[in-house]
Amino acid sequence: MDTTPLGFPYPECDPPRVKDLSDAGQIKDLAEAIDATVQPIADDLDAQLVTPLAARMRESAASAWAVPVANPNLNQVVFASPGMGDVTAGGIRITRSGWYLIGMYALVIIAAGTEINSRVTILRNGANISPFSDVGRLVTTTAEDPYASMTVQLTEGDLLKPRVATNGAASFTTTCHMWAMLVVAT
């Protein structure tokens, strides 16, 4: 049986016939060869565009702090690709190297009318991945909501955790949320 330039077998007539042989076995071979080539492409597109590696975690309850810089543990998985929701380590575990869109926000509860200029950053393996965010705004008389997001290159095994800092205030509570989504694998 002849093949196309891409290597797919295709049915053809046996010379000197001019009528198509219509051999079901040859058509089956062609269909299976095309399927074997196209399925990995479809799987890759699905993994990258439809269901990329992603996770979202949060603190299940507010945490009280008596220090000006807090490192909350994320102990509830909202959703996560396999292996990314690391409740034991308290953060998002990167399972494939690549460029990720990451972000977090914190609801910081404070004493009424006392601004503490809360800011957030994301830790990668215990170190700040970037400078602290802009100061959170007072959304009520007792709450600020700092937010940060960025695109960064991460390596398989990296652990992402939240960090909240204040202007020196040592009495506040946090409820942090964090997410990570693979944009381009490397």
Side-chain angles (χ1 to χ4, degrees):
M1 187 171 1
D2 282 340
T3 59
T4 67
L6 294 176
F8 299 126
Y10 63 88
E12 63 178 343
C13 299
D14 290 326
R17 291 182 175 169
V18 291
K19 185 177 176 186
D20 184 0
L21 181 62
S22 296
D23 185 341
Q26 289 180 344
I27 293 172
K28 176 182 174 267
D29 291 344
L30 173 62
E32 288 176 349
I34 290 173
D35 186 54
T37 301
V38 172
Q39 191 60 53
I41 295 168
D43 293 345
D44 193 39
L45 288 171
D46 181 63
Q48 291 185 45
L49 299 175
V50 180
T51 54
L53 289 177
R56 180 170 177 232
M57 294 182 70
R58 66 184 299 268
E59 288 181 277
S60 60
S63 301
W65 301 96
V67 294
V69 178
N71 296 317
N73 281 315
L74 303 174
N75 57 7
Q76 183 179 30
V77 176
V78 178
F79 67 85
S81 296
M84 289 187 75
D86 192 338
V87 176
T88 303
I92 295 174
R93 180 77 60 189
I94 300 303
T95 58
R96 183 173 181 187
S97 296
W99 285 90
Y100 283 78
L101 173 61
I102 63 174
M104 70 159 293
Y105 69 91
L107 180 62
V108 181
I109 305 298
I110 56 179
T114 307
E115 289 192 55
I116 61 172
N117 300 320
S118 57
R119 307 171 319 281
V120 296
T121 190
I122 297 172
L123 302 176
R124 174 179 47 199
N125 304 325
N128 289 1
I129 202 166
S130 70
F132 279 93
S133 69
D134 290 338
V135 172
R137 301 175 331 141
L138 269 175
V139 291
T140 69
T141 58
T142 60
E144 295 180 352
D145 66 345
Y147 168 89
S149 68
M150 62 203 81
T151 304
V152 294
Q153 189 171 20
L154 300 170
T155 304
E156 182 178 341
D158 283 348
L159 178 67
L160 304 176
K161 294 183 72 170
R163 176 173 278 170
V164 179
T166 69
N167 62 0
S171 179
F172 59 97
T173 63
T174 62
T175 305
C176 290
H177 297 251
M178 181 182 290
W179 59 91
M181 182 180 79
L182 179 65
V183 178
V184 177
T186 55

